[in-house]
Amino acid sequence: MSPKQELLRIGTRTSHTALEHARKVRALVAERLPGAHIEVLGIEPAAERRVGGPASLHGRTLAKRELDKQLLDGKIDLAVHWMKEVPCDAPLPEGVTFGAYLKRPDVHDVVVFRQGSPYRSLDELPTGSAVGTASVHRAGQLLRHRPDVRVHSTYGDADSQIETLDTGRGYEAVVVARSEIARPQPPTRAVEVLGLDVMCPPIGAAAIGVACRVDDDRLSDLLYTIDVPVARSHITAERTLQHGLRAHYDSPIAGHCTSTPDGRLSMRGLVFTRDGRHLVEICEQDAANRPTRLGTRVSAGLLSRGVGALITV
């Protein structure tokens, strides 16, 4: 780096997926800051591994706090977050704001079958088949659709779960987010895309947010140029729903906001028991500029039907 070359530091978690997200942000920023030297820094709190690792709820919370701290301390200039992991039950630290939300990729979940499996769809699996998944929201909805399968907890990112599947640990398939599969799958492997009616995504599914310091006007203006307003509206509505339910990433809820052909916001919110036996669902629409009101309406409607007891079970 030359003495006059600008240095910009982008912080993120150390997982493969998080680093890929940060590289995507780096590419977008580099287009707008030609000549700048932009570094991606993987940040992992020392305590993260002692509380269950980066896949645990506490691990994710610690990582988020560490990124906020380094941002406010000036050690990084931007922080890249996977929005489904950013807590909704606590405000952003004073001095931090999300300057941009990127366009969301595909939010569908997929069933990835063991290499060599004779099965090609979830419905084909025999009773008692073992299916792995790393999230409560998938487990509950999976059991609602197939109460006769055995759901096992898996760990790590999507690629790690698929690798575990192929090591012969007794799973017939795993359910993961389609957008999180980084490694190409062999053409012989069966992969079934689940409809959103079968598997509603988690709050903030596949969404990437970029945070900066509130008082950094130059970077705030730069992030404005890469912000996707419709993604911001969808994420705001979903996070308002989660906040209203006093829920978190590991709560048995799901929610997905989209835009209708005429530009209105439409959101589906679900709360269910972890075994999938009981489910409460509400769908609402609102004006395009009312994402907070939409999220509040959906959460209020769900709470009026007694879902608080389901969330805390």
Side-chain angles (χ1 to χ4, degrees):
M1 184 176 70
S2 65
K4 294 184 178 180
Q5 191 174 23
E6 180 181 6
L7 172 63
L8 189 68
R9 298 152 302 178
I10 301 176
T12 187
R13 292 179 60 197
T14 56
S15 72
H16 176 81
T17 304
L19 290 168
E20 283 299 308
H21 291 167
R23 294 182 188 113
K24 183 181 296 186
V25 173
R26 178 175 62 185
L28 291 170
V29 172
E31 292 176 1
R32 290 152 178 83
L33 288 178
H37 180 75
I38 306 174
E39 295 181 349
V40 171
L41 304 177
I43 296 169
E44 181 179 32
E48 186 174 1
R49 294 192 180 278
R50 298 199 298 269
V51 293
S56 71
L57 176 62
H58 294 304
R60 290 188 295 268
T61 300
L62 282 174
K64 167 69 168 55
R65 290 175 180 169
E66 182 64 23
L67 284 168
D68 290 337
K69 183 179 185 300
Q70 295 214 19
L71 187 59
L72 288 170
D73 288 346
K75 295 179 180 179
I76 58 175
D77 305 292
L78 298 174
V80 179
H81 294 283
W82 207 354
M83 294 309 299
K84 74 172 188 176
E85 297 185 346
V86 176
C88 295
D89 53 357
L92 284 174
E94 186 175 353
V96 174
T97 186
F98 278 104
Y101 293 106
L102 306 190
K103 181 180 178 181
R104 285 216 274 196
D106 188 352
V107 300
H108 285 81
D109 283 339
V110 295
V111 185
V112 180
F113 296 86
R114 175 179 48 80
Q115 185 73 329
S117 172
Y119 308 111
R120 291 292 181 268
S121 73
L122 188 60
D123 290 341
E124 289 181 14
L125 290 178
T127 295
S129 296
V131 181
T133 184
S135 69
V136 170
H137 100 272
R138 293 190 184 101
Q141 293 182 87
L142 175 59
L143 286 170
R144 182 169 180 81
H145 183 71
R146 284 295 308 269
D148 58 327
V149 301
R150 294 181 293 116
V151 176
H152 292 264
S153 295
T154 54
Y155 302 94
D157 59 22
D159 292 322
S160 297
Q161 293 178 63
I162 295 171
E163 184 177 342
T164 299
L165 172 70
D166 287 338
T167 59
R169 301 290 180 86
Y171 302 154
E172 195 62 48
V174 293
V175 182
V176 297
R178 190 181 197 179
S179 64
E180 296 173 25
I181 301 176
R183 298 172 193 157
Q185 299 303 306
T188 55
R189 182 189 293 281
V191 177
E192 179 190 14
V193 179
L194 297 176
L196 298 182
D197 57 330
V198 174
M199 192 68 67
C200 184
I203 302 298
I208 302 171
V210 189
C212 66
R213 292 182 291 276
V214 172
D215 59 3
D216 193 334
D217 294 336
R218 192 175 70 87
L219 283 184
S220 293
D221 291 344
L222 183 148
L223 292 182
Y224 179 80
T225 67
I226 67 173
D227 183 53
V228 179
V230 68
R232 179 176 291 272
S233 294
H234 293 168
I235 296 163
T236 298
E238 292 174 15
R239 287 175 59 78
T240 301
L241 163 63
Q242 188 176 38
H243 179 74
L245 294 175
R246 300 295 186 267
H248 52 71
Y249 178 77
D250 286 338
S251 297
I253 72 168
H256 185 222
C257 184
T258 59
S259 293
T260 63
D262 61 356
R264 288 175 61 80
L265 296 177
S266 176
M267 188 160 69
R268 179 179 176 220
L270 291 78
V271 179
F272 36 83
T273 52
R274 294 170 189 265
D275 60 8
R277 293 182 180 179
H278 303 284
L279 178 144
V280 180
E281 175 180 353
I282 285 185
C283 299
E284 292 278 1
Q285 291 189 7
D286 211 325
N289 62 345
R290 298 284 190 176
T292 301
R293 186 173 72 176
L294 176 59
T296 301
R297 286 175 55 198
V298 175
S299 65
L302 288 167
L303 288 171
S304 71
R305 297 176 63 180
V307 303
L310 301 183
I311 295 173
T312 57
V313 169

